[in-house]
Amino acid sequence: MERTFIMIKPDGVQRQLIGEIVGRFEKKGFKLVAMKVMTVSQELAEKHYEALNDKPFFSGLVKFICSSPVVAMVWEGDSVVSTSRQMIGATDPHAAAPGTIRGDYGVSVGRNIIHGSDAIETAKREIALWFKEEEVNEWHATLNPWLYE
Ligand code: DAT
Ligand code: MG
């Protein structure tokens, strides 16, 4: 089953949106297999966003991610990578459709509440970067027959 890395950024935590966001993923039918509240080191933030290190906003982005705790999670389910991206919405909350997390709660690209892996390979890299293997739980959800044919 596919997995993705989801992070509620410092603004989402400060704005008390953790329950709202986790609830959306739960209600969709995805399974939570790892979750931790953590203060991110500069080293981890830079590694996580290394593909963007030539962008003018990179240093501000790293500083922001380290500025206050985040909630790091791994969610599992059928097509969870692409479906999560749809639930999150466009990078710029101004462009994000109503009904998406960024569309409903964000007003600025540098404070867009949540991160989600953009592809299956990226998800693998990000999960390995943020979690030890033993922190990711294999568990059988009894709801499965009601979610999957
Ligand atoms: P996404 O988070 O939708 O995958 P991304 O990977 O292109 O978007 O960028 C990572 C984060 O960097 C994004 O969530 C917010 C920040 N960012 C992107 N473009 C930006 C910009 N033009 N100005 C400020 N921050 C930006
Ligand atoms: Mg991205």
Side-chain angles (χ1 to χ4, degrees):
M1 194 62 92
E2 196 170 297
R3 287 177 173 171
T4 196
F5 174 69
I6 300 291
M7 177 202 9
I8 304 175
K9 295 180 181 179
D11 52 336
V13 175
Q14 290 282 357
R15 291 183 52 203
Q16 307 189 114
L17 292 171
I18 298 170
E20 167 62 30
I21 291 169
V22 170
R24 287 185 180 213
F25 284 85
E26 270 193 326
K27 279 177 267 186
K28 175 67 179 168
F30 292 136
K31 184 166 76 173
L32 183 63
V33 294
M35 183 184 208
K36 57 186 173 186
V37 180
M38 59 187 285
T39 302
V40 183
S41 68
Q42 185 176 332
E43 189 192 2
L44 175 58
E46 284 176 352
K47 254 189 222 154
H48 175 75
Y49 282 120
E50 72 185 3
L52 300 173
N53 66 12
D54 57 345
K55 302 283 185 206
F57 56 82
F58 180 73
S59 64
L61 173 62
V62 167
K63 203 169 159 206
F64 167 59
I65 293 299
C66 300
S67 66
S68 186
V70 305
V71 177
M73 297 174 276
V74 180
W75 287 88
E76 190 177 288
D78 194 12
S79 297
V80 68
V81 173
S82 63
T83 303
S84 296
R85 293 279 293 188
Q86 289 182 47
M87 290 165 66
I88 288 169
T91 303
D92 185 345
H94 293 126
T100 64
I101 294 165
R102 287 168 174 168
D104 285 351
Y105 302 119
V107 284
S108 151
V109 69
R111 298 287 184 272
N112 65 4
I113 305 157
I114 183 167
H115 165 83
S117 308
D118 62 11
I120 293 173
E121 281 314 304
T122 320
K124 285 184 187 153
R125 181 186 92 84
E126 292 177 350
I127 291 166
L129 181 64
W130 286 80
F131 287 94
K132 298 181 189 134
E133 233 168 88
E134 64 267 26
E135 289 177 316
V136 182
N137 300 270
E138 296 267 0
W139 62 284
H140 174 72
T142 52
L143 268 179
N144 261 21
W146 303 103
L147 290 164
Y148 297 101
E149 263 190 292

